């Protein structure tokens, strides 16, 4: 059955390859490495530190500073890789400042190295006590004495407005000192938000102007990563010492080559591959052996109380073989921050091994000196108990460095977007241009809407004691199922509410052997009701707000829309927090599976035309069957299902509409549409219309024509993207070279031409140039007639009579020559099922932030 999301791993491969090529290694605009208290220089981990005595006089403003070198015996041990940084120190008996010219405004790392030693005129460990501020913000504001006998690196990320960056040392005891200083640009979006507050749960948006100090930076599952292995010269320590009960956990690692970086998620600057390619995982063996064993794996860290902290949790699913195998819970300081979390989810388009991170803010009143982070198995019955963490950063929130401007402005102007790629340039080697962007769509200011009456009715029955549950098994007895399953009388109904036990029985206890599809929403099982009716049972795998919204959307839409070319909803089950949808069973599976990537015999041209026509009818009905158009938003060959007789129906309405609750709580993770099918205009203008579905349907027509995947990364670059490749060929008049060779000989040229023309029109650059679904339907019917007409009777061919919107009925099987009528606001749906479409199905405006794949246009990143 149709997964909610296709996992187009191949696309991801292409994407990450392009990204790697386009992005290259990050080159910081500003980088200073300074060895203090000497004229000597030292090369450490790929960086050359130059002595501050050699720098221009204006850099150091220190009236009485002294250069100190370590007396023998008190120097740093050579075992420390960076020992060369700790032989010298600049010692300040009075306030002193280093000032660095800044080429590029924005975020910079400032690293201060401290190693107190004995020298000619004293002992730094005894004498030093000081504060440090940068740009007037106290980074170290309590009198600080660096720990004796070891090197300490204090790392800050600060926002520099431009011009210069001043680091001021002020002694509060006898002296201040520093051994080495690093100043380094880093990407602004490394800390841009949004972050989630831990208690109470909410959105924290002030991250981009916060000065931060790195307190812990951990690579779960080891090894230690040294500065030379990190593009921003960071150090990542293994988690051995912070892991509370190591026996409950196991280390996992894969080759970094397996990782799939995805634009918009964690860039290589967020953390190096070695962080994501290693993980600490729950020890599943312990859980398997004792079913009842439920435990958390917990890490604990010191953190000075009285400060707020940013926790960045790095995730990458390096253990699963397929998406949706496990979900787990994540806690910070005992508060649940992610429940039933799946790493490979909509953020990653279902792809595995995609590095990403999640940010959480722990308020100053909740940090108590120790910060714990735990992961534990999901409580969902149908998920494997598992969970992992790849990396963790804990950063102290030092203060706002709003740099004088309006902090809210600098916040909102920042679109958290990863981007980029080459672009398809005619005549040159063509590179498929793709990008993943987080679009921040302004939330419409609208008065809070009341739930629609249907939804209210559904809720009432859904939340009731169950007394309204209909016993299963009496439904659907005999007859044409579509007609007899009158789901709910008119607008009040929402289908049968199945008892959980009935669905358990129908699916042999949700037996893995009965799984016929897996998607973002959950697994789809084949089932048989007691009256022998075959059904498809889609079981949502989490209680997240997002899943719940898609669940509601689908029930709400499908229980109002009845059409022979839309997959019917038979009922649902919401007992025990389950989110289960029961559909009519579509015996032949997806249209996709009959086109490519399977062992199934190829469909004939006539079958393909009929399937296309069926799907077009379903979509046309969605667009025009009620007074407000419904946009499917995820039209693809995997969402077109075929019944026993190859009749096509459109499925999967989870994305068709979003409720307001979704916008409030899950804006950042909402994903709409599938890679390879997405309307470029939708991306550019962020405006959704029916024509976006038409575009996606055009891609489906090309799949039907060419029998190949929409994205095939194994092909040469200019061929990877079906829509791009095929439209180019069509423009060059090379139709014969792209048509499915297995059936090419059986297609009548006129029919083929009509079909290809139709596909091409659907793929027009601008929505206004694309035909309406009704026109598409008309053209496809015509193409079918051209195929069916016998060679010598072409002159008597009866064409569908008129242009769309004027004639015909929608409930006839396709009969050549029969006129069709496609009218808006038709009051009778197919199959004679009464379906009054006057109810307001709209609500499509309730869109908020979306992440969209599309052909890419421009990069506004200037780096
Ligand atoms: C350390 O300092 C002393 C006196 O300030 C000087 O004589 C000596 O040469 C210095 N050693 C090094 C290695 O710079
Ligand atoms: C240096 O290492 C030696 C042993 O290798 C140890 O005894 C000594 O304490 C270390 N010194 C410092 C400053 O860490
Ligand atoms: C660090 O980089 C070096 C080469 O620069 C490599 O040999 C080494 O394996 C890397 N270490 C880690 C932990 O990635
Ligand atoms: C895991 O930790 C959380 C937060 O401390 C706690 O609520 C939960 O009960 C723990 N789960 C198990 C199985 O111990």
């Amino acid at each position: 059955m149709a997964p909610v999301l296709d996992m187009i791993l191949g696309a991801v491969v292409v994407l990450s390859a392009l990204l790697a090529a386009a992005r290259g290694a990050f080159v910081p605009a500003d980088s200073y490495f300074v060895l203090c208290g000497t004229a000597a220089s030292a090369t450490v981990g790929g960086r050359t530190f130059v002595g501050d005595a050699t720098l221009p006089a204006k850099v150091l403003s220190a009236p009485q500073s002294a250069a100190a070198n370590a007396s023998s015996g008190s120097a740093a041990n050579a075992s420390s890789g960076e020992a060369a940084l700790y032989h010298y120190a600049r010692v300040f008996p009075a306030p002193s400042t280093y000032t660095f010219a800044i080429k590029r405004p924005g975020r910079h790392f400032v690293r201060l190295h401290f190693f107190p030693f004995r020298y000619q005129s004293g002992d730094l460990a005894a004498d030093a006590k000081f504060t440090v501020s940068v740009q007037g913000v106290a980074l170290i504001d309590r009198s600080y004495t660096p720990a004796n006998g070891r090197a300490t690196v204090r790392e800050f990320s600060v926002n520099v407005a431009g011009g210069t960056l001043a680091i001021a040392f002020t002694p509060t005891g006898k002296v201040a000192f520093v051994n080495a200083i690093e100043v380094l640009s880093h990407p602004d979006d490394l800390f841009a938000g949004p972050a989630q507050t831990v208690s109470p749960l909410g959105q924290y948006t002030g991250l981009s102007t916060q000065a931060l100090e790195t307190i812990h930076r951990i690579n779960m599952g080891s090894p230690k990563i040294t500065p030379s292995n990190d593009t921003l010269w960071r150090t990542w320590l293994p988690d051995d010492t912070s892991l509370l009960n190591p026996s409950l956990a196991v280390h996992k690692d894969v080759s970094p080559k397996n990782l799939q970086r995805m634009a918009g998620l964690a860039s290589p600057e967020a953390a190096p591959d070695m962080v994501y390619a290693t993980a600490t995982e729950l020890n599943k063996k312990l859980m398997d052996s004792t079913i009842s064993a439920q435990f958390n794996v917990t890490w604990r860290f010191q953190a000075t109380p009285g400060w707020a902290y940013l926790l960045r949790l790095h995730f990458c699913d390096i253990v699963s073989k397929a998406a949706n195998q496990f979900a787990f819970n994540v806690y910070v300081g005992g508060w649940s921050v992610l429940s039933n979390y799946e790493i490979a989810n909509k953020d990653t388009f279902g792809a595995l091994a995609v590095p990403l991170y999640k940010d959480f803010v722990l308020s100053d009143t909740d940090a108590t000196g120790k910060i714990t982070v735990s992961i534990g198995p999901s409580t969902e019955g149908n998920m494997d108990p598992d969970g992992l963490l790849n990396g963790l950063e804990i950063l102290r929130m030092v203060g706002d460095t709003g740099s004088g401007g309006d902090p809210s402005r600098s916040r909102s102007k920042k679109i958290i977007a990863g981007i980029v790629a080459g672009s398809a340039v005619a005549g040159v080697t063509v590179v498929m241009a793709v990008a993943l962007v987080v679009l921040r769509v302004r939330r419409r200011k609208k008065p809070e809407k009341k739930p629609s009456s249907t939804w209210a009715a559904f809720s009432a029955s859904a939340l009731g004691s169950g007394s309204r549950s209909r016993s299963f098994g009496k439904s659907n007895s005999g007859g044409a199922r579509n007609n007899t399953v009158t789901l709910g009388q008119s607008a009040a109904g929402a289908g049968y509410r199945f008892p959980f036990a009935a669905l358990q029985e129908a699916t042999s206890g949700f037996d893995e052997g009965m799984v016929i599809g897996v998607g973002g929403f959950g697994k789809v099982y084949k089932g048989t009701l007691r009256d022998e009716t075959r059904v498809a049972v889609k079981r949502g795998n989490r209680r997240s707000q997002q899943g719940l919204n898609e669940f509601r959307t689908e029930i709400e839409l499908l229980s109002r829309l009845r059409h022979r070319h839309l997959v019917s909803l038979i009922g649902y089950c919401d007992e025990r927090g389950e989110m289960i949808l029961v559909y009519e069973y579509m015996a032949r599976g997806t249209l996709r599976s009959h086109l490519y990537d399977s062992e199934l015999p190829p469909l004939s041209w006539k079958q393909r035309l009929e399937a296309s026509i069926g799907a077009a009818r379903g979509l046309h009905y969605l667009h025009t069957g009620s007074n407000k158009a419904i946009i499917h938003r995820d039209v693809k060959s995997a969402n077109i299902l075929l019944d026993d007789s190859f009749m096509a129906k459109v499925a999967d309405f989870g994305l068709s509409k979003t409720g307001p609750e979704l916008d409030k709580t899950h804006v950042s993770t909402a994903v709409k549409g599938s890679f390879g099918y997405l309307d470029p205009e939708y991306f550019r203008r962020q405006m959704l219309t029916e024509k976006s579905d038409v575009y996606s349907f055009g891609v489906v027509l090309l799949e039907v024509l060419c029998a190949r995947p929409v994205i095939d990364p194994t092909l040469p670059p200019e061929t990877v993207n079906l829509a791009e490749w095929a439209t180019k060929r069509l423009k060059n008049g090379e139709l014969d070279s792209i048509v499915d060779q297995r059936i090419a000989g059986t297609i009548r040229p006129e029919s083929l031409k009509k079909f290809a023309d139709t596909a091409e029109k659907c793929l027009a650059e601008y929505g206004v140039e694309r035909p309406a679904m009704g026109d598409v339907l008309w053209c496809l019917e015509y193409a079918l007639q051209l195929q069916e007409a016998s060679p010598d009777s072409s002159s008597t061919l009866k064409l569908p009579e008129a242009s769309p919107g004027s004639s015909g009925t929608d409930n006839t099987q396709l009969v050549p020559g029969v006129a069709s009528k496609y009218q808006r606001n038709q009051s009778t749906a197919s199959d004679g099922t009464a379906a009054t479409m006057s109810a307001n199905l709209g609500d499509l405006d309730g869109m908020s932030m979306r992440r969209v794949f599309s052909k890419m246009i421009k990069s506004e990143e200037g780096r």
Side-chain angles (χ1 to χ4, degrees):
M1 289 283 291
V4 170
L5 271 182
D6 244 3
M7 280 174 290
I8 310 167
L9 274 172
V12 175
V13 176
V14 175
L15 181 65
S16 50
L18 285 170
L19 277 173
R23 188 166 176 137
F26 173 78
V27 180
D30 297 302
S31 66
Y32 295 97
F33 300 106
V34 179
L35 202 56
C36 303
T38 182
S41 61
T43 298
V44 172
R47 296 154 294 175
T48 298
F49 287 75
V50 301
D52 64 354
T54 68
L55 294 176
K58 64 182 177 196
V59 171
L60 179 58
S61 148
Q64 324 159 28
S65 87
N69 64 35
S71 326
S72 61
S74 81
N77 264 334
S79 67
S80 154
E82 306 198 329
L85 298 181
Y86 303 115
H87 293 310
Y88 311 96
R90 177 77 55 190
V91 181
F92 311 109
S96 307
T97 305
Y98 283 93
T99 305
F100 299 97
I102 293 302
K103 291 201 208 83
R104 183 182 169 281
R107 279 208 173 256
H108 290 69
F109 275 132
V110 172
R111 293 194 188 104
L112 305 175
H113 295 254
F114 300 109
F115 184 97
F117 52 62
R118 285 190 303 281
Y119 67 112
Q120 241 74 11
S121 45
D123 182 354
L124 290 175
D127 300 344
K129 204 172 185 191
F130 55 93
T131 64
V132 181
S133 65
V134 169
Q135 304 298 86
V137 175
L139 297 185
I140 303 179
D141 78 336
R142 300 172 195 183
S143 295
Y144 173 59
T145 300
N148 196 7
R150 64 187 171 89
T152 306
V153 185
R154 296 193 66 169
E155 178 190 277
F156 303 89
S157 167
V158 292
N159 221 353
V160 184
T164 57
L165 178 136
I167 307 174
F169 294 82
T170 307
T172 51
K174 260 168 115 175
V175 297
F177 80 95
V178 61
N179 305 84
I181 297 175
E182 298 171 58
V183 172
L184 185 75
S185 306
H186 73 69
D188 289 341
D189 63 6
L190 195 57
F191 301 112
Q196 185 185 317
T197 55
V198 168
S199 166
L201 284 178
Q203 186 107 333
Y204 180 85
T205 48
L207 200 54
S208 57
T209 53
Q210 268 287 327
L212 299 163
E213 177 177 10
T214 311
I215 304 297
H216 299 282
R217 182 175 279 137
I218 309 293
N219 176 23
M220 269 66 193
S222 41
K224 175 178 176 177
I225 297 170
T226 57
S228 54
N229 289 62
D230 180 299
T231 51
L232 297 172
W233 290 285
R234 290 166 295 201
T235 301
W236 301 74
L237 299 175
D239 62 339
D240 310 334
T241 56
S242 51
L243 192 55
L244 283 193
N245 199 337
S247 65
L248 299 179
V250 291
H251 285 350
K252 273 280 148 57
D253 62 278
V254 297
S255 161
K257 290 195 192 76
N258 295 3
L259 302 183
Q260 317 278 358
R261 296 273 180 181
M262 206 182 256
L265 301 177
S267 71
E269 281 68 54
D273 286 353
M274 279 311 286
V275 170
Y276 292 111
T278 59
T280 296
E281 188 192 14
L282 298 184
N283 188 341
K284 274 189 292 186
K285 283 210 193 91
L286 294 178
M287 294 201 202
D288 294 344
S289 55
T290 41
I291 311 274
S292 61
Q294 288 273 330
F295 54 81
N296 290 332
V297 166
T298 299
W299 294 264
R300 191 161 63 197
F301 303 91
Q302 304 279 354
T304 313
W307 294 96
Y309 290 91
L310 172 71
L311 281 86
R312 173 164 292 179
L313 277 61
H314 295 269
F315 295 107
C316 183
D317 185 352
I318 56 171
V319 301
S320 294
K321 300 276 180 287
N324 306 114
Q325 286 189 333
F326 70 90
F328 59 106
N329 298 328
V330 181
Y331 309 91
V332 167
W335 284 278
S336 167
V337 294
L338 292 170
S339 64
N340 298 315
Y341 176 61
E342 288 164 65
I343 302 173
N345 62 17
K346 299 193 159 196
D347 296 344
T348 73
F349 289 80
L352 301 170
V354 176
L356 56 88
Y357 57 78
K358 299 270 176 198
D359 285 346
F360 302 97
V361 170
L362 193 62
S363 77
D364 51 357
T365 49
D366 292 331
T368 57
K370 298 235 191 303
I371 294 179
T372 58
V373 172
S374 309
I375 56 174
S378 161
T379 44
E380 293 288 294
N382 58 343
M383 301 299 265
D384 290 341
D386 201 350
L388 57 79
L389 185 60
N390 302 69
L392 174 69
E393 290 170 271
I394 299 181
L395 300 110
R396 180 172 67 98
M397 299 174 64
V398 178
D400 202 271
T401 56
S403 62
D406 170 10
S408 68
R409 184 169 352 121
S410 57
R411 242 178 269 155
S412 58
K413 76 160 192 270
K414 187 71 211 163
I415 292 176
I416 323 113
I419 301 276
V420 191
S423 117
V425 183
V428 195
T429 314
V430 184
V431 178
M432 190 187 74
V434 282
L436 167 65
V437 178
V438 182
L439 294 178
R440 188 182 288 249
V441 178
R442 9 96 193 87
R443 186 174 302 159
R444 300 222 177 168
K445 291 222 173 60
K446 281 199 336 195
E448 200 80 332
K449 269 203 193 147
K450 287 200 172 155
S452 66
S453 57
T454 301
W455 177 241
F458 164 67
S459 311
S461 81
L463 302 175
S465 63
S467 58
R468 292 187 54 183
S469 296
R470 306 275 300 265
S471 69
F472 83 108
K474 283 193 223 141
S475 62
N476 314 335
S477 42
R481 203 165 61 235
N482 294 351
N483 290 340
T484 56
V485 183
T486 350
L487 299 183
Q489 275 64 31
S490 74
Y496 290 120
R497 186 170 178 230
F498 283 89
F500 184 70
L503 298 177
Q504 250 178 334
E505 182 186 303
T507 58
S508 310
F510 294 100
D511 186 65
E512 285 297 302
M514 307 288 270
V515 172
I516 50 176
V518 179
F521 184 90
K523 289 180 179 165
V524 182
Y525 302 81
K526 187 168 142 180
T528 310
L529 301 179
R530 278 195 188 157
D531 69 349
E532 308 284 287
T533 307
R534 286 188 300 170
V535 290
V537 179
K538 184 157 101 175
R539 187 181 190 193
N541 59 16
R542 62 197 137 163
R543 275 169 252 188
S544 74
Q545 200 58 28
Q546 178 150 352
L548 187 59
N549 272 288
E550 287 184 8
F551 181 65
R552 287 175 178 174
T553 299
E554 193 137 3
I555 293 177
E556 203 173 347
L557 273 181
L558 278 178
S559 52
R560 291 173 185 199
L561 301 173
R562 315 295 306 152
H563 191 274
R564 66 183 295 149
H565 291 291
L566 301 182
V567 168
S568 301
L569 181 71
I570 293 174
Y572 66 92
C573 168
D574 60 352
E575 245 176 56
R576 308 187 209 164
E578 291 281 350
M579 295 187 294
I580 302 177
L581 296 167
V582 182
Y583 302 90
E584 64 175 314
Y585 181 68
M586 297 292 285
R588 305 247 179 211
T590 68
L591 172 60
R592 183 182 198 273
S593 67
H594 292 272
L595 293 172
Y596 51 84
D597 285 355
S598 79
E599 305 291 307
L600 298 170
L603 295 179
S604 72
W605 184 241
K606 184 175 176 222
Q607 283 174 317
R608 294 184 199 204
L609 285 169
E610 285 173 348
S612 306
I613 289 168
R617 279 174 190 272
L619 290 172
H620 173 63
Y621 173 72
L622 274 185
H623 290 177
T624 61
S626 51
N627 59 359
K628 210 166 170 193
I630 294 163
I631 302 167
H632 186 285
R633 281 209 267 190
D634 202 11
V635 175
K636 55 184 175 183
S637 56
N639 278 345
I640 296 170
L641 305 181
L642 302 176
D643 73 3
D644 279 313
S645 53
F646 291 98
M647 188 170 90
K649 303 193 181 198
V650 178
D652 226 321
F653 296 84
L655 297 187
S656 296
K657 198 188 74 155
T658 53
E661 303 91 329
L662 182 64
D663 294 335
K664 294 222 173 70
T665 57
H666 274 74
V667 287
S668 56
T669 55
V671 180
K672 304 294 154 187
S674 294
F675 187 43
Y677 291 94
L678 244 139
D679 170 12
E681 195 178 42
Y682 172 29
F683 162 68
R684 276 202 306 272
R685 302 183 47 205
Q686 302 161 28
M687 259 175 49
L688 191 66
T689 70
E690 298 98 304
K691 297 298 181 67
S692 300
D693 281 351
V694 173
Y695 182 92
S696 307
F697 189 69
V699 179
V700 171
L701 294 181
L702 291 180
E703 287 178 88
V704 167
L705 181 68
C706 311
R708 55 151 281 189
V710 293
I711 300 290
D712 186 347
T714 62
L715 296 173
E718 67 272 23
T719 319
V720 167
N721 183 326
L722 171 61
E724 224 163 70
W725 167 75
T727 46
K728 197 140 171 262
R729 293 296 181 90
L730 288 175
K731 283 205 176 70
N732 294 345
E734 299 170 314
L735 172 55
D736 291 341
S737 72
I738 62 170
V739 64
D740 184 357
Q741 292 307 316
R742 296 172 299 177
I743 60 159
T746 69
I747 310 177
R748 296 195 55 194
E750 312 82 49
S751 175
L752 182 63
K753 181 81 173 58
K754 184 75 200 163
F755 186 91
D757 285 350
T758 308
E760 205 178 350
K761 286 201 191 99
C762 290
L763 294 167
E765 184 75 20
Y766 300 100
V768 291
E769 295 166 2
R770 296 176 206 143
M773 220 49 228
D775 299 274
V776 176
L777 182 46
W778 187 87
C779 292
L780 292 173
E781 286 190 2
Y782 188 25
L784 178 63
Q785 291 187 28
L786 290 168
Q787 176 71 14
E788 303 249 278
S790 63
D792 49 28
S793 69
S794 55
S795 58
T796 62
L797 185 68
K798 278 171 126 190
L799 302 183
E801 256 159 31
S803 68
S806 61
S807 60
T809 77
D810 203 23
N811 61 353
T812 49
Q813 270 286 33
L814 180 62
V815 180
V818 171
S820 311
K821 179 179 282 173
Y822 311 113
Q823 280 186 342
R824 220 173 159 81
N825 288 326
Q826 56 199 68
S827 57
T828 317
S830 64
D831 311 331
T833 310
T836 308
M837 289 303 154
S838 55
N840 175 17
L841 298 177
D843 238 328
L844 287 163
D845 347 318
M847 298 203 314
S848 183
M849 196 191 287
R850 308 235 181 282
R851 181 168 295 163
V852 177
F853 266 111
S854 177
K855 290 188 184 173
M856 187 52 188
I857 302 317
K858 58 164 189 184
S859 152
E860 47 170 63
E861 302 281 291
R863 41 189 159 86

